[in-house]
Amino acid sequence: MPLTAIVAATPSGMIGLDGDMPWQLSSDLRRFKRLSMGGVLIMGRKTFDSIGRVLPGRTICVLTRDATWFHEGVQVYHDTQSIVDDMSSKSAFVVGGAQIYQQLLPFCDRLYLTRVYSQVVGDTSVRIPLDEWRCLFVERVAAGSRDSVPSEFSIWQRLAYTVRGPN
């Protein structure tokens, strides 16, 4: 089963500031919970540290270079291929941060993307080559009472490229 990425980013690709998201989007957090419940979340150590706990109802896998890192209730991986191999039969979601997206986005065939319409300053960004994807669904989301900015939720499927041999 291929991986799915869940990303919240500004149109310029900004995803974080000082280890946290530089916006408040309760509506997107509810969607994240609904999408990922019962699945496996793959994240980097810094992302896990920013969350600060194991999220209930999901298996947490942390990809880190730190061979001594440990947290109760978390599966730890030290290389990309091991985590990709172990997730081949699971419903797994890549949820950040930037380095993890860079390493694992090539293994994803589905993308849940929240565009955060904000001009926030940040220190962490991600580049998603959307020309390699086909948009299946888009929903504009007005800023609710617990949202700092409006957003847009979309679902993307990786394009299948056909390799052509000599004619």
Side-chain angles (χ1 to χ4, degrees):
M1 192 178 266
L3 300 174
T4 298
I6 302 177
V7 181
T10 65
S12 67
M14 196 59 56
I15 64 170
L17 175 65
D18 297 329
D20 203 357
M21 292 181 287
W23 51 73
Q24 179 180 339
L25 286 175
S26 291
S27 59
D28 192 54
L29 292 176
R30 285 191 305 276
R31 181 183 306 107
F32 175 84
K33 182 177 181 180
R34 187 179 72 248
L35 290 170
S36 65
M37 189 57 70
V40 177
L41 301 182
I42 302 169
M43 64 187 75
R45 182 202 42 86
K46 291 178 188 176
T47 298
F48 180 81
D49 288 347
S50 74
I51 295 170
R53 63 187 174 93
V54 174
L55 296 174
R58 287 151 283 194
T59 300
I60 306 297
C61 296
V62 170
L63 182 57
T64 178
R65 290 183 295 260
D66 184 347
T68 64
W69 191 87
F70 171 82
H71 192 283
E72 184 73 32
V74 173
Q75 296 176 19
V76 180
Y77 291 83
H78 301 292
D79 67 275
T80 303
Q81 194 59 54
S82 294
I83 204 163
V84 169
D85 291 345
D86 282 359
M87 297 302 124
S88 64
S89 64
K90 298 177 178 142
S91 179
F93 302 93
V94 178
V95 299
Q99 291 179 19
I100 303 305
Y101 286 131
Q102 180 182 355
Q103 291 174 46
L104 293 176
L105 201 56
F107 297 96
C108 296
D109 78 334
R110 180 151 290 208
L111 169 65
Y112 294 121
L113 176 63
T114 299
R115 280 286 182 222
V116 181
Y117 290 106
S118 174
Q119 297 294 326
V120 297
V121 174
D123 57 16
T124 309
S125 63
V126 65
R127 185 180 111 28
I128 301 172
L130 289 178
D131 59 334
E132 297 175 7
W133 301 80
R134 177 173 50 107
C135 186
L136 304 175
F137 173 83
V138 177
E139 174 187 16
R140 294 192 183 272
V141 183
S145 63
R146 298 182 64 202
D147 298 331
S148 61
V149 293
S151 62
E152 179 181 273
F153 175 68
S154 56
I155 302 172
W156 298 76
Q157 185 73 37
R158 184 173 295 281
L159 293 172
Y161 293 101
T162 304
V163 178
R164 299 178 188 264
N167 290 336

PDB file of all heavy atoms in Angstrom, residues 65-97:
ATOM      1  N   ARG A  65      17.887  10.423  12.694  1.00  0.00           N
ATOM      2  CA  ARG A  65      19.288   9.998  12.572  1.00  0.00           C
ATOM      3  C   ARG A  65      19.902   9.701  13.935  1.00  0.00           C
ATOM      4  O   ARG A  65      20.947   9.081  14.020  1.00  0.00           O
ATOM      5  CB  ARG A  65      20.098  11.094  11.872  1.00  0.00           C
ATOM      6  CG  ARG A  65      19.768  11.260  10.405  1.00  0.00           C
ATOM      7  CD  ARG A  65      20.658  12.312   9.771  1.00  0.00           C
ATOM      8  NE  ARG A  65      20.431  13.633  10.318  1.00  0.00           N
ATOM      9  CZ  ARG A  65      19.705  14.585   9.749  1.00  0.00           C
ATOM     10  NH1 ARG A  65      19.150  14.370   8.589  1.00  0.00           N
ATOM     11  NH2 ARG A  65      19.549  15.747  10.325  1.00  0.00           N
ATOM     12  N   ASP A  66      19.254  10.140  14.995  1.00  0.00           N
ATOM     13  CA  ASP A  66      19.769   9.962  16.351  1.00  0.00           C
ATOM     14  C   ASP A  66      19.550   8.520  16.805  1.00  0.00           C
ATOM     15  O   ASP A  66      18.425   8.114  17.132  1.00  0.00           O
ATOM     16  CB  ASP A  66      19.062  10.925  17.299  1.00  0.00           C
ATOM     17  CG  ASP A  66      19.597  10.875  18.718  1.00  0.00           C
ATOM     18  OD1 ASP A  66      20.351   9.934  19.056  1.00  0.00           O
ATOM     19  OD2 ASP A  66      19.247  11.779  19.500  1.00  0.00           O
ATOM     20  N   ALA A  67      20.616   7.738  16.848  1.00  0.00           N
ATOM     21  CA  ALA A  67      20.535   6.319  17.191  1.00  0.00           C
ATOM     22  C   ALA A  67      20.138   6.083  18.648  1.00  0.00           C
ATOM     23  O   ALA A  67      19.736   4.983  19.014  1.00  0.00           O
ATOM     24  CB  ALA A  67      21.870   5.636  16.911  1.00  0.00           C
ATOM     25  N   THR A  68      20.212   7.116  19.488  1.00  0.00           N
ATOM     26  CA  THR A  68      19.875   6.949  20.897  1.00  0.00           C
ATOM     27  C   THR A  68      18.470   7.440  21.239  1.00  0.00           C
ATOM     28  O   THR A  68      18.021   7.276  22.372  1.00  0.00           O
ATOM     29  CB  THR A  68      20.888   7.709  21.785  1.00  0.00           C
ATOM     30  OG1 THR A  68      20.779   9.118  21.526  1.00  0.00           O
ATOM     31  CG2 THR A  68      22.313   7.223  21.519  1.00  0.00           C
ATOM     32  N   TRP A  69      17.773   8.034  20.263  1.00  0.00           N
ATOM     33  CA  TRP A  69      16.457   8.606  20.549  1.00  0.00           C
ATOM     34  C   TRP A  69      15.440   7.509  20.818  1.00  0.00           C
ATOM     35  O   TRP A  69      15.380   6.496  20.123  1.00  0.00           O
ATOM     36  CB  TRP A  69      15.988   9.480  19.382  1.00  0.00           C
ATOM     37  CG  TRP A  69      14.768  10.291  19.729  1.00  0.00           C
ATOM     38  CD1 TRP A  69      14.753  11.513  20.314  1.00  0.00           C
ATOM     39  CD2 TRP A  69      13.400   9.927  19.515  1.00  0.00           C
ATOM     40  NE1 TRP A  69      13.447  11.935  20.485  1.00  0.00           N
ATOM     41  CE2 TRP A  69      12.609  10.971  20.011  1.00  0.00           C
ATOM     42  CE3 TRP A  69      12.771   8.808  18.970  1.00  0.00           C
ATOM     43  CZ2 TRP A  69      11.220  10.952  19.962  1.00  0.00           C
ATOM     44  CZ3 TRP A  69      11.379   8.780  18.926  1.00  0.00           C
ATOM     45  CH2 TRP A  69      10.626   9.853  19.413  1.00  0.00           C
ATOM     46  N   PHE A  70      14.621   7.719  21.843  1.00  0.00           N
ATOM     47  CA  PHE A  70      13.587   6.764  22.224  1.00  0.00           C
ATOM     48  C   PHE A  70      12.443   7.526  22.858  1.00  0.00           C
ATOM     49  O   PHE A  70      12.645   8.514  23.564  1.00  0.00           O
ATOM     50  CB  PHE A  70      14.145   5.740  23.228  1.00  0.00           C
ATOM     51  CG  PHE A  70      13.079   4.873  23.822  1.00  0.00           C
ATOM     52  CD1 PHE A  70      12.596   3.761  23.145  1.00  0.00           C
ATOM     53  CD2 PHE A  70      12.537   5.176  25.065  1.00  0.00           C
ATOM     54  CE1 PHE A  70      11.592   2.965  23.691  1.00  0.00           C
ATOM     55  CE2 PHE A  70      11.534   4.390  25.625  1.00  0.00           C
ATOM     56  CZ  PHE A  70      11.068   3.286  24.937  1.00  0.00           C
ATOM     57  N   HIS A  71      11.235   7.054  22.613  1.00  0.00           N
ATOM     58  CA  HIS A  71      10.057   7.561  23.316  1.00  0.00           C
ATOM     59  C   HIS A  71       9.086   6.405  23.469  1.00  0.00           C
ATOM     60  O   HIS A  71       8.825   5.667  22.516  1.00  0.00           O
ATOM     61  CB  HIS A  71       9.403   8.708  22.548  1.00  0.00           C
ATOM     62  CG  HIS A  71       8.375   9.438  23.347  1.00  0.00           C
ATOM     63  ND1 HIS A  71       7.113   8.946  23.568  1.00  0.00           N
ATOM     64  CD2 HIS A  71       8.443  10.617  23.997  1.00  0.00           C
ATOM     65  CE1 HIS A  71       6.437   9.797  24.311  1.00  0.00           C
ATOM     66  NE2 HIS A  71       7.225  10.815  24.591  1.00  0.00           N
ATOM     67  N   GLU A  72       8.577   6.244  24.651  1.00  0.00           N
ATOM     68  CA  GLU A  72       7.617   5.172  24.937  1.00  0.00           C
ATOM     69  C   GLU A  72       6.431   5.244  23.963  1.00  0.00           C
ATOM     70  O   GLU A  72       5.868   6.315  23.746  1.00  0.00           O
ATOM     71  CB  GLU A  72       7.099   5.310  26.381  1.00  0.00           C
ATOM     72  CG  GLU A  72       6.183   4.201  26.814  1.00  0.00           C
ATOM     73  CD  GLU A  72       6.906   2.895  27.069  1.00  0.00           C
ATOM     74  OE1 GLU A  72       8.072   2.936  27.505  1.00  0.00           O
ATOM     75  OE2 GLU A  72       6.306   1.842  26.820  1.00  0.00           O
ATOM     76  N   GLY A  73       6.083   4.112  23.357  1.00  0.00           N
ATOM     77  CA  GLY A  73       4.932   4.038  22.469  1.00  0.00           C
ATOM     78  C   GLY A  73       5.201   4.471  21.037  1.00  0.00           C
ATOM     79  O   GLY A  73       4.264   4.604  20.248  1.00  0.00           O
ATOM     80  N   VAL A  74       6.475   4.708  20.696  1.00  0.00           N
ATOM     81  CA  VAL A  74       6.837   5.180  19.355  1.00  0.00           C
ATOM     82  C   VAL A  74       7.759   4.152  18.696  1.00  0.00           C
ATOM     83  O   VAL A  74       8.692   3.658  19.327  1.00  0.00           O
ATOM     84  CB  VAL A  74       7.559   6.550  19.429  1.00  0.00           C
ATOM     85  CG1 VAL A  74       8.102   6.968  18.063  1.00  0.00           C
ATOM     86  CG2 VAL A  74       6.620   7.604  19.980  1.00  0.00           C
ATOM     87  N   GLN A  75       7.483   3.834  17.433  1.00  0.00           N
ATOM     88  CA  GLN A  75       8.386   2.988  16.653  1.00  0.00           C
ATOM     89  C   GLN A  75       9.434   3.903  16.024  1.00  0.00           C
ATOM     90  O   GLN A  75       9.084   4.890  15.388  1.00  0.00           O
ATOM     91  CB  GLN A  75       7.622   2.244  15.574  1.00  0.00           C
ATOM     92  CG  GLN A  75       6.604   1.260  16.123  1.00  0.00           C
ATOM     93  CD  GLN A  75       5.794   0.604  15.029  1.00  0.00           C
ATOM     94  OE1 GLN A  75       6.167   0.592  13.865  1.00  0.00           O
ATOM     95  NE2 GLN A  75       4.651   0.052  15.414  1.00  0.00           N
ATOM     96  N   VAL A  76      10.703   3.573  16.210  1.00  0.00           N
ATOM     97  CA  VAL A  76      11.795   4.422  15.741  1.00  0.00           C
ATOM     98  C   VAL A  76      12.472   3.769  14.537  1.00  0.00           C
ATOM     99  O   VAL A  76      12.764   2.573  14.547  1.00  0.00           O
ATOM    100  CB  VAL A  76      12.832   4.673  16.857  1.00  0.00           C
ATOM    101  CG1 VAL A  76      13.965   5.558  16.362  1.00  0.00           C
ATOM    102  CG2 VAL A  76      12.157   5.286  18.077  1.00  0.00           C
ATOM    103  N   TYR A  77      12.722   4.591  13.510  1.00  0.00           N
ATOM    104  CA  TYR A  77      13.425   4.160  12.301  1.00  0.00           C
ATOM    105  C   TYR A  77      14.598   5.095  12.070  1.00  0.00           C
ATOM    106  O   TYR A  77      14.523   6.282  12.392  1.00  0.00           O
ATOM    107  CB  TYR A  77      12.498   4.205  11.084  1.00  0.00           C
ATOM    108  CG  TYR A  77      11.422   3.165  11.124  1.00  0.00           C
ATOM    109  CD1 TYR A  77      10.245   3.372  11.836  1.00  0.00           C
ATOM    110  CD2 TYR A  77      11.568   1.953  10.451  1.00  0.00           C
ATOM    111  CE1 TYR A  77       9.251   2.413  11.879  1.00  0.00           C
ATOM    112  CE2 TYR A  77      10.576   0.989  10.483  1.00  0.00           C
ATOM    113  CZ  TYR A  77       9.418   1.225  11.201  1.00  0.00           C
ATOM    114  OH  TYR A  77       8.438   0.271  11.235  1.00  0.00           O
ATOM    115  N   HIS A  78      15.654   4.551  11.455  1.00  0.00           N
ATOM    116  CA  HIS A  78      16.846   5.352  11.209  1.00  0.00           C
ATOM    117  C   HIS A  78      17.169   5.492   9.729  1.00  0.00           C
ATOM    118  O   HIS A  78      18.136   6.173   9.378  1.00  0.00           O
ATOM    119  CB  HIS A  78      18.042   4.769  11.972  1.00  0.00           C
ATOM    120  CG  HIS A  78      17.806   4.727  13.453  1.00  0.00           C
ATOM    121  ND1 HIS A  78      17.712   5.858  14.229  1.00  0.00           N
ATOM    122  CD2 HIS A  78      17.586   3.693  14.290  1.00  0.00           C
ATOM    123  CE1 HIS A  78      17.466   5.524  15.477  1.00  0.00           C
ATOM    124  NE2 HIS A  78      17.384   4.210  15.543  1.00  0.00           N
ATOM    125  N   ASP A  79      16.381   4.846   8.859  1.00  0.00           N
ATOM    126  CA  ASP A  79      16.617   5.039   7.430  1.00  0.00           C
ATOM    127  C   ASP A  79      15.300   4.942   6.665  1.00  0.00           C
ATOM    128  O   ASP A  79      14.364   4.251   7.082  1.00  0.00           O
ATOM    129  CB  ASP A  79      17.653   4.041   6.885  1.00  0.00           C
ATOM    130  CG  ASP A  79      17.156   2.624   6.900  1.00  0.00           C
ATOM    131  OD1 ASP A  79      17.283   1.963   7.960  1.00  0.00           O
ATOM    132  OD2 ASP A  79      16.628   2.176   5.871  1.00  0.00           O
ATOM    133  N   THR A  80      15.261   5.654   5.562  1.00  0.00           N
ATOM    134  CA  THR A  80      14.056   5.775   4.752  1.00  0.00           C
ATOM    135  C   THR A  80      13.584   4.431   4.224  1.00  0.00           C
ATOM    136  O   THR A  80      12.391   4.126   4.288  1.00  0.00           O
ATOM    137  CB  THR A  80      14.318   6.742   3.574  1.00  0.00           C
ATOM    138  OG1 THR A  80      14.736   7.994   4.117  1.00  0.00           O
ATOM    139  CG2 THR A  80      13.090   6.945   2.736  1.00  0.00           C
ATOM    140  N   GLN A  81      14.485   3.623   3.702  1.00  0.00           N
ATOM    141  CA  GLN A  81      14.071   2.363   3.080  1.00  0.00           C
ATOM    142  C   GLN A  81      13.398   1.425   4.076  1.00  0.00           C
ATOM    143  O   GLN A  81      12.423   0.770   3.747  1.00  0.00           O
ATOM    144  CB  GLN A  81      15.256   1.667   2.397  1.00  0.00           C
ATOM    145  CG  GLN A  81      14.822   0.554   1.464  1.00  0.00           C
ATOM    146  CD  GLN A  81      13.896   1.043   0.352  1.00  0.00           C
ATOM    147  OE1 GLN A  81      14.222   1.968  -0.373  1.00  0.00           O
ATOM    148  NE2 GLN A  81      12.724   0.437   0.237  1.00  0.00           N
ATOM    149  N   SER A  82      13.887   1.373   5.299  1.00  0.00           N
ATOM    150  CA  SER A  82      13.282   0.506   6.318  1.00  0.00           C
ATOM    151  C   SER A  82      11.838   0.898   6.590  1.00  0.00           C
ATOM    152  O   SER A  82      10.960   0.039   6.690  1.00  0.00           O
ATOM    153  CB  SER A  82      14.073   0.569   7.630  1.00  0.00           C
ATOM    154  OG  SER A  82      15.342   0.017   7.461  1.00  0.00           O
ATOM    155  N   ILE A  83      11.603   2.183   6.702  1.00  0.00           N
ATOM    156  CA  ILE A  83      10.238   2.622   7.002  1.00  0.00           C
ATOM    157  C   ILE A  83       9.321   2.386   5.804  1.00  0.00           C
ATOM    158  O   ILE A  83       8.181   1.959   5.956  1.00  0.00           O
ATOM    159  CB  ILE A  83      10.209   4.080   7.509  1.00  0.00           C
ATOM    160  CG1 ILE A  83       8.956   4.311   8.345  1.00  0.00           C
ATOM    161  CG2 ILE A  83      10.306   5.088   6.387  1.00  0.00           C
ATOM    162  CD1 ILE A  83       9.009   5.543   9.203  1.00  0.00           C
ATOM    163  N   VAL A  84       9.818   2.605   4.598  1.00  0.00           N
ATOM    164  CA  VAL A  84       9.015   2.355   3.392  1.00  0.00           C
ATOM    165  C   VAL A  84       8.671   0.870   3.301  1.00  0.00           C
ATOM    166  O   VAL A  84       7.527   0.498   3.042  1.00  0.00           O
ATOM    167  CB  VAL A  84       9.750   2.842   2.122  1.00  0.00           C
ATOM    168  CG1 VAL A  84       9.061   2.349   0.861  1.00  0.00           C
ATOM    169  CG2 VAL A  84       9.843   4.365   2.116  1.00  0.00           C
ATOM    170  N   ASP A  85       9.653   0.003   3.534  1.00  0.00           N
ATOM    171  CA  ASP A  85       9.416  -1.440   3.489  1.00  0.00           C
ATOM    172  C   ASP A  85       8.396  -1.872   4.538  1.00  0.00           C
ATOM    173  O   ASP A  85       7.495  -2.665   4.255  1.00  0.00           O
ATOM    174  CB  ASP A  85      10.719  -2.213   3.688  1.00  0.00           C
ATOM    175  CG  ASP A  85      11.682  -2.065   2.523  1.00  0.00           C
ATOM    176  OD1 ASP A  85      11.260  -1.611   1.436  1.00  0.00           O
ATOM    177  OD2 ASP A  85      12.878  -2.384   2.719  1.00  0.00           O
ATOM    178  N   ASP A  86       8.516  -1.366   5.751  1.00  0.00           N
ATOM    179  CA  ASP A  86       7.607  -1.756   6.833  1.00  0.00           C
ATOM    180  C   ASP A  86       6.182  -1.236   6.632  1.00  0.00           C
ATOM    181  O   ASP A  86       5.240  -1.810   7.164  1.00  0.00           O
ATOM    182  CB  ASP A  86       8.132  -1.276   8.185  1.00  0.00           C
ATOM    183  CG  ASP A  86       9.249  -2.153   8.718  1.00  0.00           C
ATOM    184  OD1 ASP A  86       9.610  -3.146   8.051  1.00  0.00           O
ATOM    185  OD2 ASP A  86       9.764  -1.840   9.807  1.00  0.00           O
ATOM    186  N   MET A  87       6.027  -0.178   5.883  1.00  0.00           N
ATOM    187  CA  MET A  87       4.699   0.413   5.694  1.00  0.00           C
ATOM    188  C   MET A  87       3.977  -0.132   4.461  1.00  0.00           C
ATOM    189  O   MET A  87       2.862   0.259   4.169  1.00  0.00           O
ATOM    190  CB  MET A  87       4.797   1.938   5.565  1.00  0.00           C
ATOM    191  CG  MET A  87       5.335   2.626   6.798  1.00  0.00           C
ATOM    192  SD  MET A  87       4.365   2.281   8.268  1.00  0.00           S
ATOM    193  CE  MET A  87       5.633   1.616   9.334  1.00  0.00           C
ATOM    194  N   SER A  88       4.589  -1.070   3.749  1.00  0.00           N
ATOM    195  CA  SER A  88       4.039  -1.526   2.472  1.00  0.00           C
ATOM    196  C   SER A  88       2.641  -2.124   2.576  1.00  0.00           C
ATOM    197  O   SER A  88       1.901  -2.122   1.599  1.00  0.00           O
ATOM    198  CB  SER A  88       4.990  -2.524   1.814  1.00  0.00           C
ATOM    199  OG  SER A  88       5.095  -3.680   2.620  1.00  0.00           O
ATOM    200  N   SER A  89       2.245  -2.605   3.749  1.00  0.00           N
ATOM    201  CA  SER A  89       0.915  -3.195   3.875  1.00  0.00           C
ATOM    202  C   SER A  89       0.040  -2.439   4.871  1.00  0.00           C
ATOM    203  O   SER A  89      -0.979  -2.943   5.325  1.00  0.00           O
ATOM    204  CB  SER A  89       1.041  -4.656   4.311  1.00  0.00           C
ATOM    205  OG  SER A  89       1.628  -4.726   5.593  1.00  0.00           O
ATOM    206  N   LYS A  90       0.415  -1.204   5.180  1.00  0.00           N
ATOM    207  CA  LYS A  90      -0.319  -0.434   6.186  1.00  0.00           C
ATOM    208  C   LYS A  90      -0.866   0.862   5.585  1.00  0.00           C
ATOM    209  O   LYS A  90      -0.362   1.360   4.596  1.00  0.00           O
ATOM    210  CB  LYS A  90       0.605  -0.110   7.359  1.00  0.00           C
ATOM    211  CG  LYS A  90       1.114  -1.345   8.051  1.00  0.00           C
ATOM    212  CD  LYS A  90       2.070  -1.008   9.160  1.00  0.00           C
ATOM    213  CE  LYS A  90       2.497  -2.296   9.830  1.00  0.00           C
ATOM    214  NZ  LYS A  90       3.860  -2.314  10.212  1.00  0.00           N
ATOM    215  N   SER A  91      -1.873   1.408   6.226  1.00  0.00           N
ATOM    216  CA  SER A  91      -2.396   2.715   5.849  1.00  0.00           C
ATOM    217  C   SER A  91      -1.541   3.760   6.573  1.00  0.00           C
ATOM    218  O   SER A  91      -1.773   4.066   7.738  1.00  0.00           O
ATOM    219  CB  SER A  91      -3.858   2.821   6.278  1.00  0.00           C
ATOM    220  OG  SER A  91      -4.369   4.078   5.949  1.00  0.00           O
ATOM    221  N   ALA A  92      -0.526   4.274   5.876  1.00  0.00           N
ATOM    222  CA  ALA A  92       0.463   5.140   6.515  1.00  0.00           C
ATOM    223  C   ALA A  92       0.449   6.536   5.917  1.00  0.00           C
ATOM    224  O   ALA A  92       0.308   6.705   4.708  1.00  0.00           O
ATOM    225  CB  ALA A  92       1.853   4.525   6.391  1.00  0.00           C
ATOM    226  N   PHE A  93       0.618   7.530   6.793  1.00  0.00           N
ATOM    227  CA  PHE A  93       0.569   8.936   6.422  1.00  0.00           C
ATOM    228  C   PHE A  93       1.873   9.625   6.787  1.00  0.00           C
ATOM    229  O   PHE A  93       2.302   9.580   7.941  1.00  0.00           O
ATOM    230  CB  PHE A  93      -0.587   9.634   7.151  1.00  0.00           C
ATOM    231  CG  PHE A  93      -1.925   9.009   6.881  1.00  0.00           C
ATOM    232  CD1 PHE A  93      -2.434   8.036   7.725  1.00  0.00           C
ATOM    233  CD2 PHE A  93      -2.660   9.388   5.774  1.00  0.00           C
ATOM    234  CE1 PHE A  93      -3.671   7.452   7.482  1.00  0.00           C
ATOM    235  CE2 PHE A  93      -3.900   8.813   5.516  1.00  0.00           C
ATOM    236  CZ  PHE A  93      -4.402   7.839   6.371  1.00  0.00           C
ATOM    237  N   VAL A  94       2.481  10.281   5.829  1.00  0.00           N
ATOM    238  CA  VAL A  94       3.675  11.084   6.052  1.00  0.00           C
ATOM    239  C   VAL A  94       3.195  12.465   6.482  1.00  0.00           C
ATOM    240  O   VAL A  94       2.462  13.125   5.746  1.00  0.00           O
ATOM    241  CB  VAL A  94       4.525  11.166   4.766  1.00  0.00           C
ATOM    242  CG1 VAL A  94       5.746  12.049   4.982  1.00  0.00           C
ATOM    243  CG2 VAL A  94       4.924   9.768   4.294  1.00  0.00           C
ATOM    244  N   VAL A  95       3.608  12.913   7.679  1.00  0.00           N
ATOM    245  CA  VAL A  95       3.051  14.144   8.234  1.00  0.00           C
ATOM    246  C   VAL A  95       4.096  15.204   8.591  1.00  0.00           C
ATOM    247  O   VAL A  95       3.770  16.185   9.246  1.00  0.00           O
ATOM    248  CB  VAL A  95       2.143  13.843   9.453  1.00  0.00           C
ATOM    249  CG1 VAL A  95       0.972  12.961   9.030  1.00  0.00           C
ATOM    250  CG2 VAL A  95       2.911  13.192  10.596  1.00  0.00           C
ATOM    251  N   GLY A  96       5.341  15.036   8.166  1.00  0.00           N
ATOM    252  CA  GLY A  96       6.319  16.098   8.352  1.00  0.00           C
ATOM    253  C   GLY A  96       7.475  15.721   9.229  1.00  0.00           C
ATOM    254  O   GLY A  96       7.527  14.630   9.766  1.00  0.00           O
ATOM    255  N   GLY A  97       8.388  16.588   9.330  1.00  0.00           N
ATOM    256  CA  GLY A  97       8.566  17.907   8.786  1.00  0.00           C
ATOM    257  C   GLY A  97       9.188  17.908   7.393  1.00  0.00           C
ATOM    258  O   GLY A  97       9.115  16.936   6.641  1.00  0.00           O
TER     259      GLY A  97
END
